[in-house]
Amino acid sequence: MTRQHLESVLAGLGPVAVAVSGGVDSLTLATLAHRLAPSATLVVHAVSPAVPEEATARVRAEGAREGWSLRVIEAGEFADPAYRANPVNRCFFCKTNLYGAVRRVTDRQILSGANRDDLGEYRPGLDAAREHGVRHPYVEAGFDKASVRALARDLGLGAVAELPAAPCLSSRVETGIAIEPETLTFIHAVERLVGGALATDGAGRAVRCRVRAEGVVVELDPASLAALDAEDRETLGAGIRDMAPARLAGPVRFAPYRVGSAFLVEPREARA
């Protein structure tokens, strides 16, 4: 589990296409791969309603700073009824569309930013990756999330290293509730509103706007949740209700953050 081991893995892959979402894992992987072999590294970022605009802006900024060969493509998952139906294995359909879109623009070896921590979670997207021959250099080199953050700092990516975990916006919608673009726009707006009201930021913070059958639930890490008094909750709740689409009108409550809580039925190992 060393940088040298990871570099050795990358060196043996030949020309690569790094699928970059805009989070710490994929940004760090793309940066290292490009610095090691600029001409052999293509970076591909897919845009869709499930990808926050800040993530795309972050990819473009990092690409300009590092001199990446960057392709921005349409993911295309919203044309897939199986994805929009939001079954428990929604991520399989998401990644199937993503890797298919990447394959249409390059025949290079596709890389993902999955790390060893992801292997203990319910990740149907890994099944799609296997079907498309995607390689996971962090997994092969024994890197977990903490190791990725340490590597990002070692590469001089200070701000990137401290990015909080941010799964795609669709992961906030309870299994079985259809994925709609306006729902994801609302979720993102809520998370920005609540995040802006919090005094803390960085890797330890969690803000998740969950759209559930019972209504809207804003999940927060313990420190952030404790910092919100009754008046704060009422003010934020009112703001959230005002911005909600008509079909999402209803109660808003605040709760502790739980991984996997967007699932209607959670497999024992499930995470989201």
Side-chain angles (χ1 to χ4, degrees):
M1 191 182 68
T2 66
R3 175 172 170 175
Q4 290 72 26
H5 189 185
L6 179 60
E7 290 178 352
S8 177
V9 170
L10 290 170
L13 294 175
V16 298
V18 187
V20 174
S21 65
V24 57
D25 299 316
S26 58
L27 283 172
T28 302
L29 181 64
T31 298
L32 179 61
H34 180 264
R35 290 185 186 179
L36 291 173
S39 64
T41 303
L42 173 68
V43 178
V44 184
H45 173 69
V47 296
S48 89
V51 178
E53 59 188 22
E54 296 96 322
T56 299
R58 193 179 303 124
V59 172
R60 290 188 182 278
E62 188 65 21
R65 184 162 45 247
E66 294 287 329
W68 290 346
S69 174
L70 174 65
R71 293 287 300 272
V72 178
I73 62 175
E74 294 286 337
E77 76 270 35
F78 276 76
D80 185 350
Y83 168 83
R84 296 189 67 170
N86 195 21
V88 72
N89 64 337
R90 179 200 67 252
C91 288
F92 173 81
F93 301 105
C94 174
K95 296 300 187 183
T96 293
N97 283 279
L98 169 64
Y99 296 134
V102 174
R103 181 54 68 217
R104 286 192 288 274
V105 301
T106 181
D107 60 0
R108 297 182 178 210
Q109 172 63 57
I110 302 173
L111 306 184
S112 91
N115 64 69
R116 288 188 61 84
D117 287 347
D118 298 323
L119 302 183
E121 302 179 349
Y122 179 59
R123 298 273 179 153
L126 292 175
D127 295 331
R130 184 165 48 252
E131 291 187 4
H132 285 80
V134 176
R135 298 279 293 270
H136 313 295
Y138 289 139
V139 174
E140 295 179 35
F143 273 56
D144 58 13
K145 190 77 169 189
S147 303
V148 174
R149 291 192 186 279
L151 174 62
R153 297 183 191 103
D154 190 43
L155 292 172
L157 306 178
V160 169
E162 304 309 319
L163 286 172
C168 84
L169 295 173
S170 294
S171 69
R172 277 71 151 169
V173 183
E174 185 177 271
T175 299
I177 298 176
I179 303 294
E180 300 292 346
E182 71 168 355
T183 300
L184 304 189
T185 298
F186 165 69
I187 288 170
H188 186 44
V190 170
E191 293 185 356
R192 293 187 66 178
L193 173 69
V194 176
L198 299 175
T200 59
D201 199 357
R205 194 182 77 179
V207 180
R208 297 288 187 273
C209 173
R210 307 290 196 190
V211 170
R212 303 181 67 89
E214 68 191 57
V216 175
V217 181
V218 179
E219 296 182 356
L220 301 171
D221 61 275
S224 297
L225 187 62
L228 294 183
D229 59 23
E231 183 177 353
D232 293 330
R233 296 183 188 210
E234 178 56 38
T235 300
L236 286 171
I240 292 168
R241 288 190 292 272
D242 286 344
M243 67 173 65
R247 63 188 182 82
L248 297 181
V252 176
R253 67 181 179 88
F254 295 85
Y257 170 63
R258 290 191 306 122
V259 294
S261 59
F263 285 93
L264 184 62
V265 178
E266 296 184 50
R268 184 170 57 87
E269 72 276 21
R271 302 290 188 270

